[in-house]
């Protein structure tokens, strides 16, 4: 078992927790400025955004379980976002339609990438490595209980989102003066997010007439348990170390008893 972190290490992570809370507040400010109070508030409900809050409070109050739940909850989306970002760099284009999964999107409401939106969406790249470093530095293992807590966390957030985000489009005037009607799919309230060419993910989309409860159960089981379950096993290697095993910590050597 890894040694527990000292108070100085925990205090340092409290500072990171405060940073996460400030980062979320700054990101929400950008969303409110970009989309107005209604749409901006809805956009702040994405699981990848509210998980920043969860981990921020977890680090601030030394609750690794909260950080583990937030880490695993975003794993599928963040891994795919990272892969898309690499393709954007390779292609020399930030067009979200020219990447494999169609997940990563750094564009503002004007359809162009701006520094404000790039910075406030950058957590898709650094949030998971930071949480893995957190677990390694404080000597706490990422365990199966964190997967179960992440499932519960997403179920609560997605249910709450479905209750407040309207299914119809929301009229909004963009910064450039254009009037649009925005269809929000926050936390997949209407259909699966991205992977448009994979029929399996979209088979039970609400847009196809599927009952809300059936889609909710299907989407959450597929995302929270199946996909995040796979990434959970990947994250364990980064959060716990490559040598994580039954004998880690004593290098497999048995201690001889003194006579």
């Amino acid at each position: 078992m890894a040694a527990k972190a000292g108070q100085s290490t925990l205090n340092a992570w409290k500072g990171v927790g405060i940073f996460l809370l400030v980062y979320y507040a700054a990101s929400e400010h950008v969303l409110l400025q970009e989309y107005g109070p209604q749409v901006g508030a809805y956009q702040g409900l994405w699981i990848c955004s509210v998980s920043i809050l969860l981990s921020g409070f977890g680090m601030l109050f030394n609750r690794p379980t909260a950080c583990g739940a937030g880490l695993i909850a975003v794993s599928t989306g963040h891994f795919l976002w990272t892969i898309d970002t690499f393709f954007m760099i390779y292609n020399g284009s930030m067009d979200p339609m020219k990447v494999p999964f169609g997940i990563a999107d750094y564009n503002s409401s004007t359809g162009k990438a701006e520094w404000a939106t790039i910075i406030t969406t950058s957590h898709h790249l650094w949030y998971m490595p930071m949480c893995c470093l957190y677990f390694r530095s404080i000597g706490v293992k990422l365990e199966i209980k964190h997967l179960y807590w992440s499932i519960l966390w997403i179920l609560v957030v997605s249910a709450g989102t479905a209750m407040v985000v309207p299914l119809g489009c929301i009229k909004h005037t963009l910064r450039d003066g254009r009037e649009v009607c925005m269809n929000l799919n926050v936390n997949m309230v209407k259909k699966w997010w991205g992977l448009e060419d994979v029929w399996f993910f979209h088979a039970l989309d609400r847009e196809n007439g599927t009952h809300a409860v059936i889609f909710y159960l299907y989407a959450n089981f597929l995302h929270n348990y199946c996909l995040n379950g796979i990434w959970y096993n990947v994250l364990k290697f980064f959060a716990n170390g490559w040598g994580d095993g039954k004998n880690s910590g004593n290098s497999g050597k048995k201690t001889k008893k003194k006579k």
Side-chain angles (χ1 to χ4, degrees):
M1 181 178 291
K4 297 293 183 179
Q7 190 59 46
S8 59
T9 300
L10 295 177
N11 288 339
W13 282 108
K14 287 183 178 181
V16 176
I18 294 173
F19 161 75
L20 288 178
L21 300 180
V22 173
Y23 177 86
Y24 176 84
S27 299
E28 183 59 26
H29 174 74
V30 171
L31 289 172
L32 293 173
Q33 293 293 317
E34 187 78 17
Y35 298 105
Q38 185 180 17
V39 177
Y42 291 152
Q43 294 281 30
L45 295 176
W46 277 102
I47 190 66
C48 59
S49 296
V50 293
S51 290
I52 293 176
L53 279 179
L54 184 66
S55 293
F57 284 114
M59 292 177 185
L60 185 60
F61 297 105
N62 191 25
R63 296 293 185 269
T65 299
C67 296
L71 168 62
I72 299 172
V74 305
S75 56
T76 297
H78 280 206
F79 272 116
L80 298 183
W81 184 291
T82 301
I83 294 172
D84 277 353
T85 300
F86 280 123
F87 273 88
M88 286 180 174
I89 297 173
Y90 177 79
N91 295 332
S93 169
M94 302 195 76
D95 187 348
M97 304 304 294
K98 296 181 179 180
V99 290
F101 302 110
I103 300 295
D105 188 355
Y106 296 93
N107 292 335
S108 67
S109 62
T110 61
K112 298 180 180 179
E114 300 178 359
W115 279 113
T117 52
I118 292 175
I119 293 173
T120 54
T121 55
S122 66
H123 61 277
H124 294 90
L125 303 177
W126 52 258
Y127 172 77
M128 286 199 306
M130 182 195 64
C131 287
C132 288
L133 179 61
Y134 169 74
F135 273 93
R136 296 194 68 164
S137 66
I138 67 172
V140 175
K141 299 294 185 183
L142 190 67
E143 300 173 332
I144 191 67
K145 68 175 182 180
H146 297 115
L147 173 62
Y148 296 146
W149 277 111
S150 74
I151 292 174
L152 178 61
W153 170 239
I154 300 176
L155 287 174
V156 172
V157 173
S158 59
T161 304
M163 292 178 184
V164 298
V165 175
L167 288 178
C169 65
I170 303 173
K171 293 182 179 180
H172 174 64
T173 303
L174 301 178
R175 286 188 288 115
D176 58 8
R178 289 182 296 137
E179 292 187 359
V180 296
C181 200
M182 300 186 65
N183 280 296
L184 300 181
N185 190 34
V186 179
N187 295 327
M188 301 191 297
V189 295
K190 299 181 182 181
K191 64 176 185 176
W192 193 270
W193 179 257
L195 302 170
E196 299 294 338
D197 297 328
V198 184
W199 71 268
F200 179 76
F201 290 105
H202 295 275
L204 296 180
D205 284 352
R206 294 181 68 182
E207 291 185 344
N208 299 332
T210 305
H211 192 279
V213 175
I214 295 176
F215 173 71
Y216 174 82
L217 295 175
Y218 170 77
N220 277 282
F221 174 76
L222 186 59
H223 177 270
N224 306 351
Y225 186 78
C226 298
L227 296 180
N228 281 358
I230 295 173
W231 294 117
Y232 156 71
N233 286 285
V234 176
L235 288 169
K236 280 200 305 182
F237 286 108
F238 295 101
N240 300 348
W242 297 103
D244 183 36
K246 293 182 179 180
N247 295 320
S248 62
N250 59 9
S251 301
K253 296 181 181 179
K254 295 183 179 179
T255 304
K256 295 182 179 179
K257 296 181 179 180
K258 293 183 180 180
K259 294 182 179 180

